[in-house]
Amino acid sequence: MCVAWIPVLCLGVCLLLPEPVGSDGGVPIAITCSTRGLDIRKEKADVLCPGSCPLEEFSIFGNIVYASVSSICGAAVHRGVISNSGGPVRVYSLPGRENYSSVVANGIQSQTLSRWSASFTVTKGKSGSQEATGQAVSTAHPPTGKRLKKTPEKKTGNKNCKADIAFLIDGSFNIGQRRFNLQKNFVGKVALMLGIGTEGPHVGLVQASEHPKIEFYLKNFTSAKDVLFAIKEVGFRGGNSNTGKALKHTAQKFFTADTGVRKGIPKVVVVFIDGWPSDDIEEAGIVAREFGVNVFIVSVAKPIPEELGMVQDVAFVDKAVCRNNGFFSYHMPNWFGTTKYVKPLVQKLCTHEQMMCSKTCYNSVNIAFLIDGSSSVGDNNFRLMLEFVSNIAKTFEISDIGAKIATVQFTYDQRTEFSFTDYSTKENVLAVIRNIRYMSGGTATGDAISFTVRNVFGPVKESPNKNFLVIVTDGQSYDDVQGPAAAAHDAGITIFSVGVAWAPLDDLKDMASKPKESHAFFTREFTGLEPIVSDVIRGICRDFLESQQ
């Protein structure tokens, strides 16, 4: 049989696709407006698109080469192969690619996609006159002559659900093809309800089987629609479940900056186990905790009594989860009728303050700085105090769900420079600290402590973060400091006192938390504040860790 070749794409290099001789004798397959490339499981196929498809409902990713989740008829109209009155189209399957571009053509706006496993392109069908020339149709003008608006920005997602989540699904022979599909369906429902978006939760998928496979990363898709397509595309792998191996692999390889992990956002693995794992999961749970990953176990169909002898460790759930407190484990009796279990699981995954394994001293503290603005300090030394505060603050992961910073300046009066809820980025916090104006006046440290406890810590008393107060002063207070400091300690606030020049050691010790020697610091010169920065940071992290025990 001889084969003719058709030039289809000419973008510097022409792509030649084979035209099978004798194909003119076949009848095109009638498809719908929403039939996608992945629904045609042939290398080449002739299809017939209906007329009057609603253009606004076409879902298309790419230009000339389209992701296989795209509508075939939409791609054909976009490329100019047919008009919206429909007609015959020839579809060629192509390999997947890393990036699909967004282009306005023939009244349709295609969308970008960062990665997909398969692609296709289209030419005129066999009853058309000539095959497409391969020239891209990328005019920004639809047939009406009006310019289309720019593609709207992707939805930001549920901003109240901050999490980077890996779904670790069971792809072993233990679950089988049918339950595997039901599992994917459930994961899709959870992903949809989470409210995925650029500023909301991000998700990825890992399949546990003989060897674990990361199906897609956090950075690959930031819209629920793309994630649902990606989940549907995942194929069943088979083999042993090896959940422990897959969990360890996920903790070590999935959560990196290169794969889309965001700073200050809890890292979560939701592990689906149908029955029981075929390998050791306890060690994997320990590794995950060391990497700051919160492990959830969703167990389905617990082993029946006759099967318990096959289970290596009947307490595997308690040993694998982030904390053995009931929050991180979730059970469903089977894969049928799981819709009612979606919302409760989503609520757990969106409760970021419960994500204990991702909490560190750098992202789970509230630190208020009480800065002496009295006349004895002077403007130049006041700037050195602000530099001291900045050097401590910039060490922490400041965000709306992470570490929070506040500052109060005091003389006889007090002035809140900014509170814990005013700024949620490190850049903003450091900029405001630099611009604090020197007050000048007397020294009433006791009143300033009481003011800070009441007005700065009071509004965040329900916060899960641990509270710290760092006092920087250069002289003796005109009022009592011991009573207000004791009240602060009783309110759960850890105090570090930092004295300079004429600050009495007795006052510093009266204010500092116990043990006094590790919470009170003194230097003769303001330039001596710099070495104390690391001491205060180490002290905050030490106290935080002790509070977690």
Side-chain angles (χ1 to χ4, degrees), residues 22-87:
S23 63
D24 288 346
V27 178
I29 303 168
I31 61 173
T32 67
C33 300
S34 58
T35 300
R36 299 169 299 172
L38 59 86
D39 297 322
I40 304 296
R41 300 187 179 278
K42 297 180 180 179
E43 288 189 14
K44 299 169 287 293
D46 287 307
V47 299
L48 184 63
C49 287
S52 303
C53 289
L55 301 184
E56 67 275 5
E57 293 183 12
F58 281 143
S59 180
I60 311 163
F61 303 87
N63 177 41
I64 304 178
V65 173
Y66 302 92
S68 64
V69 293
S70 303
S71 159
I72 293 174
C73 298
V77 176
H78 181 264
R79 188 155 185 239
V81 168
I82 59 172
S83 68
N84 198 38
S85 60

Side-chain angles (χ1 to χ4, degrees), residues 252-279:
Q252 294 173 327
K253 304 294 183 183
F254 183 89
F255 295 100
T256 69
D258 290 340
T259 61
V261 167
R262 297 168 290 176
K263 285 187 176 180
I265 303 295
K267 296 176 288 189
V268 182
V269 176
V270 184
V271 183
F272 291 91
I273 296 179
D274 186 296
W276 63 91
S278 58
D279 62 347

